[in-house]
Amino acid sequence: MKYALVNGAKTVAARGLKGICPCCGSVLIPKCGDQKVHHWSHKGNRNCDQWWENETEWHRRWKGYFPKSWQEVVHFDESNEKHIADVKTGNGWAVEFQHSFLNNEERQSRSRFYKKLVWVVDGSRRKMDRTQFIKVLKESSRLRVSIPIYKAHFPDECRLLKEWYGYSMVFFDFKEVGEGQEPMFWFLFPRTPAGSVYLSPFSRERFIEIFSKDRFDEVLTEIILPIHAEIVNEERKQRLSVSISRNNSVSGVDRYVLRKQSRRRRF
């Protein structure tokens, strides 16, 4: 953990301090070695929050973009179950920075628990994730809309997309890349009824600004959801067009045979 309560105040780990866990109230000890980021730890191998994972510099950097009071907030649901959100905004959005692998069952559990949840996924953890993602992008088609949105034609060829495509708000962070390369902070649109995968580049700085000013509700209702609805509507039109085209391609003789077969089945 980045913070423990020391004399009632959120405090980073430092040698000689004694902290209290804000989630369970037990004693935390500072870990201030040279190999890992300085952090607070429960005694032994226990952890009061089963969803908590060891933090990296990547986690710390992301948390540090937001107010201290929003970092590592204990969140309760209706049943009084509690977990520590990496970041929780004033408007109730939980932002989880996910580095390690997370199975689908736990991902769904967290979505149900937080209700308003946004994921930022570390896309640089595995060596091939960035390569696979760029390959999928190159084989995608851009939609004819005002902002760059791409439909991935071969999403199964990217392990990250297979793992994370669903109904949540997901952003992939591939960290910094060289000048002239693809922007490597991307938004994955929630699942559509047709199961198609849509991606859009997103400014990392803009993401930080939106959440720091607690304006994600506005972005969601005015931009993301209308675009998603437009995509879904376009998919329906395409399916209807294909269906009509197939029906029209049936020859007159075939239609006569089909009608006779249909009449026979009625009796």
Side-chain angles (χ1 to χ4, degrees):
M1 298 176 68
K2 180 179 180 180
Y3 293 112
L5 297 178
V6 178
N7 297 323
K10 277 186 171 181
T11 307
V12 296
R15 290 185 177 91
L17 293 180
K18 183 178 179 181
I20 300 298
C21 176
C23 187
C24 68
S26 62
V27 174
L28 297 178
I29 54 177
K31 298 285 187 177
C32 303
D34 298 325
Q35 300 298 318
K36 297 181 179 180
V37 294
H38 292 189
H39 63 282
W40 293 95
S41 176
H42 292 82
K43 290 183 178 180
N45 294 321
R46 67 181 295 273
N47 199 325
C48 64
D49 188 348
Q50 61 182 357
W51 289 352
W52 197 255
E53 64 177 84
N54 292 329
E55 288 196 330
T56 64
E57 289 286 357
W58 177 81
H59 281 97
R60 287 296 176 87
R61 184 173 65 253
W62 267 109
K63 285 182 181 180
Y65 291 133
F66 303 100
K68 183 178 180 180
S69 60
W70 289 6
Q71 299 178 43
E72 297 185 2
V73 176
V74 181
H75 178 88
F76 294 81
D77 70 359
E78 300 84 354
S79 67
N80 219 35
E81 180 181 349
K82 59 183 177 179
H83 294 284
I84 305 171
D86 286 334
V87 166
K88 186 179 177 184
T89 74
N91 285 335
W93 280 98
V95 185
E96 290 283 272
F97 304 107
Q98 191 62 34
H99 172 76
S100 62
F101 171 78
L102 196 65
N103 63 51
N104 185 57
E105 182 179 349
E106 183 167 337
R107 191 163 61 248
Q108 291 180 3
S109 294
R110 295 196 195 187
S111 295
R112 289 191 297 268
F113 176 77
Y114 286 115
K115 303 292 191 299
K116 298 172 69 173
L117 174 63
V118 170
W119 296 94
V120 177
V121 178
D122 185 356
S124 65
R125 180 176 67 89
R126 292 181 301 226
K127 188 174 181 179
M128 290 301 296
D129 282 342
R130 185 201 300 253
T131 301
Q132 291 176 353
F133 189 83
I134 292 175
K135 182 176 183 295
V136 167
L137 283 179
K138 288 180 178 179
E139 296 172 343
S140 299
S141 58
R142 179 169 174 170
L143 304 188
R144 295 179 181 179
V145 292
S146 58
I147 64 174
I149 299 176
Y150 298 84
K151 181 178 181 180
H153 298 296
F154 307 104
D156 286 348
E157 294 182 4
C158 178
R159 190 172 174 186
L160 268 180
L161 294 179
K162 288 174 66 177
E163 290 173 352
W164 285 96
Y165 187 49
Y167 300 100
S168 300
M169 302 288 168
V170 180
F171 292 83
F172 294 122
D173 180 20
F174 293 94
K175 301 183 180 177
E176 300 302 328
V177 295
E179 185 177 352
Q181 296 186 36
E182 294 285 350
M184 296 309 287
F185 190 73
W186 285 78
F187 175 59
L188 172 65
F189 278 87
R191 181 182 293 276
T192 68
S196 299
V197 175
Y198 294 89
L199 299 153
S200 183
F202 206 96
S203 165
R204 186 184 287 104
E205 291 72 22
R206 180 66 173 148
F207 176 94
I208 295 166
E209 179 187 11
I210 288 169
F211 276 94
S212 296
K213 294 181 178 179
D214 222 352
R215 293 181 54 203
F216 189 67
D217 282 301
E218 178 184 332
V219 172
L220 179 64
T221 56
E222 296 183 6
I223 300 176
I224 294 176
L225 292 182
I227 289 175
H228 189 263
E230 187 176 343
I231 289 172
V232 171
N233 187 49
E234 189 61 31
E235 286 185 342
R236 286 174 182 157
K237 289 180 181 178
Q238 290 175 0
R239 290 198 302 271
L240 179 60
S241 177
V242 169
S243 177
I244 292 173
S245 177
R246 286 174 177 171
N247 289 336
N248 289 340
S249 67
V250 179
S251 69
V253 173
D254 289 336
R255 283 197 292 271
Y256 174 76
V257 172
L258 288 172
R259 282 199 300 270
K260 289 197 68 172
Q261 289 176 341
S262 177
R263 291 192 189 104
R264 286 173 182 170
R265 282 195 292 270
R266 294 176 189 170
F267 295 101

